[in-house]
Amino acid sequence: MTDMRPADTAADHSTVSVVVNGQQIQARPGELLIDACERNGTYIPRFCHHPRMNPVGMCRMCLVEVDTGRGSSLQPSCMVPVSDNMAVETESEVTKKAQDGVLEFLLINHPLDCPVCDKGGECPLQDQTMAYGPGESRFIEEKRHFEKPIPISDAVYLDRERCILCDRCTRFADEVAGDALIHFMDRGSSTQVNTFPDEPFASYFSGNTVQICPVGALTAKPYRFKARPWDLEETISTAWTDSVGSRITVQSSRDQVLRVLGVDADPVNWGWLSDKERFAFEALNSESRLVAPMVRNDGRLETVGWAVAFERAVAALDGVDPNRVAVIGGARLNNEAQYAWAKLAKGVIGTDHVDAQLGDGLPAEVVLGLPRATIDDACRGGGTIILCGPDPKEDLGALYLRLRHAVVQDGATLIELTPKRTGLSNIAKHSLHPRPGEVGELAAALVAAATSPDSEAAPNTDLEGSASSADLVGSASSADLVGSASSADLVGSASSADLVGSASSADLEGSGYARREQSGSGYARQLQRAASDLSGPVTVVLGRASLSESAAATIDAAVALSALDDVSFLSALRRGNVHGALDAGLAPGLLPGRTTLERGAHRFADAWPSVPENVGHDAAGILRASKAGEIDTLILLGADPLNDFPDAELAREGMAGAGTVIAVDLLPNDTVMAAADVILAAAGPTESAGTFTNLEGRVSVCGQIVTAAGISRPDWMIASEIAIRMGSDLGFDSVAAIRAELTTVSELHAPLTEEVLGNSQVDGVLLNGNGDIEPPDPAEATSPVNDRYSLRLLTTRRMYDDGTALRHSPASSGHASPLELRLNPVDFDKIGVQEGTVVRVESAKDHLDMPVRVDPGVPVGSAAVPWRTLGADCRPLIDASAVVTDVRVERL
């Protein structure tokens, strides 16, 4: 397998000598000739070659003369590994003639429409034709023509006559994303790239094919005909839609962001982006942006000046008992704004009722107190990845691509402890699917099997009492396995012995999928096989898999898995800069720098007016206190509880019980429009400078490239102005000043000098250490035993939901899935209805009617519904105070 990392990051530093154009260079064994030459200053033209994908030698543009001791011959440098004493000529007449001929043939049918092509000005075909190609064409025949453009997805257009068949897009879709939805079709001179009939290029990562296309064959609808490269200004920044922290280049023209491109940051995203990250800038350009402050008078929102808005906000904060003030949100903010708001809330106002998570995350001690891993740690060859959390393909797109490459290309072992099938299930060595609330017991059983390999790790009595072992093993029918994974995938993953007792072929006879309980010994065998594959360093990708259960089971799973040897944890919290928020102290009981109120207060004695004495509420506790009338002022920092807190009833009652609601936001979300008394319009991530902390603790730069919309202000500036009007200057007049103070009060942030950040524009700076945070204690919350008629509600996120930002992004809106119930065939047959029939799903809190579908990827005993769907909402069913939410499904 070819090493697809940049050559200068390869682990093997031994070298071989190669002579290139008479000059001796040093290359690494196994390195491709094209990469070795480029690394040493000799560029070889290419179209099909890409350092992050397997070589195919399609375009032949990289032909050079190579002599390995048996005479010189033309060879494609993208396919030839270097060898000692190899002699290479990249500028000989033979080489030039070959390159000239390749370009002449490529231009036989390629249209000369550069003035109207979106690739014009940054097109490798243009550049290489000028540098290496013929001055004129000998062909006078009519070029071929196709219908143009073809919208192969909602965001990507295809101009087939421009395609040079380099195989980049098809290789990316198949090798990197695992979505083989675009292919070569027809033969000979009629060969073209296209999608299957009636099947769009419905990939979460389709925009990457536009970026790597070397011509204008694939273009992005949001950028099409908007600008030319020479019109654009650009800055390096960080994607803000999830916590991966993908490195990006933001490009603008006429003070408006027009395009986002991935940057090849070796420790993070390798240049790949999800379409959600790539096109998220559209929401910032929305005509619905909050561009000025607003206040509510007589029930109506009115636009006002900043002075009036600040006066109303300060009146709601000044002199109020700190215990009656709360802050929810902050994950949208950059690090500097988070620190400013932490200082305002905890140092000036004096409240510790602060939480950047909205009831869908994990306690700070789980995220910060366990041994931490990097993305590279998780993706190293020979190691083991335990996925104990959400589906990375749906929640963390760029991380999904890295994990997939690690398993498929680098030999990492993947073990899933997930409540249902994920985008990685077809390449997982073992997939164990517990019911909601039971992943802690499953993790403990796996650890027991790993630490006591000679004994049978039979399920404990809690497991046997609450769920059959078949449920825990992941009740996938053989039909499901055949449909999702090849026989090669199944070998060594789940033997026939494992399948017996879960859902064997015998269960498939007749009209339904009859359930059979698996014996304890069969369950133990499957666990034993999974435990035996825990080789090398173990990285646990940890997060909340289901939003309709509490964090308790995930905490117990983390504590259990921490007993493994050589184990570390990579957070899978989803919200943008949530890890920066935790590091900045936007969580109950925390102060900036991964320290607690008890242990770190002395560090802030000189910099802050005060520090809270008691640990405050998390988001759920804040909403309960507000419901009880105990919160006079509630500040929302980019938070939308009415649309984003799992328990819809608690969110509604909590917002109604708050005295004054102050919202700092970019877009008019449900809570802002319905409940906010004061709206402070904030600048967007491309409109203010700062830094971002990703899920591994890596800090990277966020660059400002356009001015703020309307008269909106950066979040840190809003916090500073409120503090001044309350008589307590935060002492900040710039982003640099905030960072300077942060480096003095936080040992964690001390390395973040301006010089270090300036020298780490691409890779960022990794902040190591757990600070004063200790590992969590077990939650030990036992899931109640449900009766034979009840199912456990399983609520998982999708890449595209009905979130506020997605609603305002034309390329991403409308992709949310409909509200529907998915059941395992075993449970589906019990209802006795046809697929697609509308059924009633009832919990202790409410009921909803929705169509039902069969899904073998859902465990027996679980009822899966998606989060934040189009036109409907499953949250009324969820009880945030319960360990799990049980539901009943009834025919109407």
Side-chain angles (χ1 to χ4, degrees):
M1 181 63 209
T2 303
D3 183 0
M4 291 185 286
R5 297 172 296 169
D8 58 351
T9 67
D12 187 358
H13 292 284
S14 60
T15 61
V16 295
S17 295
V18 180
V19 177
V20 178
N21 299 332
Q23 300 293 321
Q24 190 175 66
I25 66 170
Q26 298 301 311
R28 299 193 179 101
E31 188 176 9
L32 292 175
L33 178 57
I34 193 172
D35 294 328
C37 289
E38 183 173 8
R39 187 167 54 83
N40 286 275
T42 300
Y43 179 79
I44 299 175
R46 80 293 299 267
F47 293 116
C48 68
H49 175 68
H50 191 283
R52 296 297 186 185
M53 294 188 289
N54 288 326
V56 289
M58 289 283 290
C59 70
R60 319 308 279 184
M61 189 64 206
C62 67
L63 287 171
V64 294
E65 283 195 278
V66 178
D67 186 354
T68 58
R70 293 179 294 177
S72 178
S73 64
L74 283 173
Q75 298 187 42
S77 57
C78 72
M79 297 291 291
V80 178
V82 296
S83 60
D84 212 11
N85 298 320
M86 174 184 285
V88 181
E89 291 290 339
T90 69
E91 299 177 356
S92 68
E93 289 302 318
V94 175
T95 297
K96 291 180 179 180
K97 182 63 176 177
Q99 294 168 346
D100 182 288
V102 169
L103 285 165
E104 185 175 27
F105 275 99
L106 287 177
L107 294 173
I108 292 175
N109 279 303
H110 193 87
L112 300 180
D113 61 348
C114 302
V116 298
C117 178
D118 266 318
K119 201 70 173 182
E122 56 184 6
C123 175
L125 182 58
Q126 273 186 332
D127 298 338
Q128 294 181 34
T129 298
M130 292 293 293
Y132 305 98
E136 59 185 41
S137 176
R138 294 179 291 174
F139 293 91
I140 61 173
E141 291 76 14
E142 178 73 11
K143 296 177 183 291
R144 64 184 177 186
H145 300 281
F146 292 102
E147 175 189 353
K148 60 178 294 183
I150 297 175
I152 60 174
S153 74
D154 289 343
V156 178
Y157 284 4
L158 170 64
D159 291 89
R160 288 172 291 172
E161 72 277 10
R162 294 177 184 159
C163 180
I164 61 172
L165 305 180
C166 69
D167 201 24
R168 279 191 174 191
C169 59
T170 56
R171 276 184 292 153
F172 172 84
D174 185 21
E175 294 177 12
V176 180
D179 299 326
L181 300 172
I182 185 169
H183 289 269
F184 287 125
M185 295 184 177
D186 298 329
R187 302 182 67 182
S189 62
S190 299
T191 303
Q192 59 177 292
V193 165
N194 211 329
T195 58
F196 293 110
D198 301 321
E199 289 192 29
F201 190 23
S203 171
Y204 292 159
F205 311 99
S206 63
N208 292 286
T209 63
V210 176
Q211 181 171 337
I212 63 177
C213 180
V215 290
L218 293 170
T219 53
K221 181 180 178 181
Y223 179 71
R224 192 175 172 88
F225 302 139
K226 293 291 179 64
R228 286 291 180 263
W230 50 83
D231 296 327
L232 298 174
E233 297 179 358
E234 68 177 28
T235 185
I236 193 167
S237 191
T238 307
W240 56 88
T241 58
D242 62 35
S243 62
V244 179
S246 299
R247 307 298 289 129
I248 58 176
T249 292
V250 182
Q251 298 179 335
S252 69
S253 180
R254 299 176 297 279
D255 205 32
Q256 185 180 50
V257 175
L258 297 182
R259 184 167 65 170
V260 167
L261 300 176
V263 172
D264 195 339
D266 191 64
V268 189
N269 60 309
W270 285 11
W272 310 132
L273 298 175
S274 68
D275 289 355
K276 187 176 179 180
E277 295 170 294
R278 187 176 298 275
F279 303 125
F281 71 88
E282 289 187 302
L284 305 180
N285 297 335
S286 171
E287 295 180 356
S288 301
R289 273 288 299 274
L290 298 173
V291 296
M294 304 177 77
V295 297
R296 193 178 299 274
N297 290 319
D298 298 325
R300 297 179 58 185
L301 288 172
E302 301 176 357
T303 301
V304 297
W306 278 104
V308 174
F310 280 133
E311 182 180 356
R312 182 79 68 90
V314 171
L317 292 169
D318 207 6
V320 177
D321 181 355
N323 287 322
R324 300 186 68 84
V325 178
V327 179
I328 295 179
R332 175 186 61 75
L333 282 57
N334 60 34
N335 292 337
E336 290 73 15
Q338 289 169 345
Y339 178 74
W341 274 100
K343 185 174 182 179
L344 173 62
K346 299 193 174 188
V348 176
I349 298 172
T351 181
D352 193 54
H353 302 321
V354 179
D355 192 2
Q357 304 184 72
L358 264 71
D360 58 354
L362 293 170
E365 60 269 22
V366 179
V367 181
L368 304 178
L370 296 167
R372 301 191 70 174
T374 65
I375 296 175
D376 280 346
D377 290 338
C379 296
R380 68 187 127 188
T384 299
I385 305 164
I386 297 179
L387 177 57
C388 183
D391 184 349
K393 188 172 185 178
E394 302 289 350
D395 274 30
L396 303 165
L399 177 63
Y400 161 78
L401 297 181
R402 289 292 311 273
L403 293 174
R404 188 178 188 281
H405 181 276
V407 176
V408 175
Q409 307 286 7
D410 294 337
T413 299
L414 174 63
I415 299 174
E416 289 186 320
L417 308 183
T418 58
K420 62 191 293 284
R421 285 184 59 82
T422 74
L424 294 170
S425 291
N426 63 331
I427 60 172
K429 190 70 174 294
H430 302 278
S431 289
L432 310 177
H433 301 311
R435 292 195 309 171
E438 295 169 354
V439 69
E441 290 98 330
L442 178 59
L446 178 64
V447 172
T451 54
S452 304
D454 296 329
S455 64
E456 287 196 348
N460 60 32
T461 54
D462 292 336
L463 288 178
E464 292 179 321
S466 62
S468 71
S469 51
D471 300 333
L472 292 170
V473 171
S475 50
S477 67
S478 57
D480 175 42
L481 293 173
V482 171
S484 63
S486 66
S487 57
D489 294 326
L490 297 177
V491 173
S493 172
S495 67
S496 56
D498 298 328
L499 297 177
V500 172
S502 176
S504 66
S505 57
D507 298 328
L508 305 180
E509 296 179 359
S511 59
Y513 296 74
R515 177 180 177 179
R516 295 196 310 163
E517 300 286 49
Q518 184 181 16
S519 66
S521 60
Y523 171 49
R525 283 197 301 273
Q526 174 126 357
L527 279 175
Q528 202 68 56
R529 289 187 177 90
S532 66
D533 284 322
L534 290 171
S535 58
V538 177
T539 302
V540 180
V541 180
L542 184 72
R544 286 276 292 281
S546 174
L547 302 178
S548 51
E549 62 179 280
S550 74
T554 306
I555 296 171
D556 288 342
V559 173
L561 293 171
S562 66
L564 293 171
D565 293 334
D566 199 8
V567 66
S568 56
F569 292 78
L570 181 65
S571 169
L573 296 185
R574 178 179 188 261
R575 296 185 181 274
N577 196 19
V578 63
H579 298 89
L582 295 178
D583 287 351
L586 291 180
L590 286 191
L591 289 171
R594 299 177 191 167
T595 188
T596 63
L597 293 176
E598 179 182 0
R599 299 185 178 186
H602 64 281
R603 303 178 191 170
F604 298 84
D606 296 330
W608 288 21
S610 63
V611 172
E613 294 182 359
N614 301 314
V615 176
H617 297 310
D618 61 6
I622 291 171
L623 291 174
R624 292 190 192 100
S626 183
K627 173 184 174 181
E630 299 171 1
I631 299 297
D632 291 335
T633 305
L634 176 60
I635 302 173
L636 302 177
L637 299 179
D640 181 12
L642 290 181
N643 196 40
D644 210 18
F645 186 78
D647 189 327
E649 180 182 11
L650 178 57
R652 184 174 60 254
E653 293 174 343
M655 295 309 302
T660 300
V661 177
I662 302 171
V664 183
D665 222 318
L666 307 173
L667 292 162
N669 59 47
D670 293 0
T671 307
V672 164
M673 302 310 294
D677 300 294
V678 182
I679 300 173
L680 305 177
T686 61
E687 301 162 356
S688 57
T691 55
F692 180 104
T693 304
N694 79 344
L695 47 77
E696 57 184 347
R698 187 178 303 276
V699 176
S700 54
V701 172
C702 300
Q704 178 183 358
I705 192 168
V706 294
T707 56
I711 59 171
S712 60
R713 297 187 179 184
D715 296 280
W716 70 267
M717 197 176 292
I718 295 172
S720 295
E721 185 66 23
I722 291 175
I724 289 173
R725 290 172 180 264
M726 292 181 67
S728 183
D729 190 352
L730 296 183
F732 306 142
D733 58 5
S734 67
V735 170
I738 301 176
R739 280 200 293 263
E741 179 174 305
L742 184 56
T743 58
T744 61
V745 298
S746 167
E747 294 180 1
L748 175 72
H749 295 88
L752 294 180
T753 64
E754 299 301 311
E755 180 182 4
V756 169
L757 286 173
N759 294 332
S760 307
Q761 291 280 313
V762 175
D763 289 352
V765 181
L766 185 64
L767 300 182
N768 292 307
N770 299 76
D772 296 330
I773 309 299
E774 295 183 350
D777 294 323
E780 297 181 348
T782 303
S783 302
V785 178
N786 57 349
D787 58 55
R788 61 180 298 183
Y789 302 104
S790 296
L791 302 171
R792 291 276 160 82
L793 184 63
L794 171 60
T795 308
T796 55
R797 293 186 185 272
R798 302 293 303 271
M799 176 72 75
Y800 295 110
D801 56 25
D802 195 29
T804 301
L806 290 174
R807 292 177 195 169
H808 292 86
S809 301
S812 304
S813 63
H815 295 334
S817 57
L819 181 64
E820 61 184 16
L821 173 68
R822 289 185 173 269
L823 298 177
N824 186 276
V826 172
D827 296 312
F828 180 85
D829 281 346
K830 293 179 181 178
I831 304 175
V833 297
Q834 296 293 319
E835 187 170 22
T837 302
V838 175
V839 297
R840 173 156 293 176
V841 182
E842 185 172 5
S843 72
K845 303 198 72 169
D846 206 341
H847 70 270
L848 294 172
D849 298 338
M850 64 190 78
V852 62
R853 308 286 182 190
V854 177
D855 187 347
V858 176
V860 172
S862 299
V865 293
W867 172 260
R868 288 170 66 167
T869 55
L870 280 177
D873 191 354
C874 70
R875 296 181 307 125
L877 299 173
I878 300 174
D879 184 357
S881 64
V883 177
V884 293
T885 298
D886 287 338
V887 296
R888 290 194 178 192
V889 180
E890 300 175 351
R891 289 178 293 177
L892 292 177

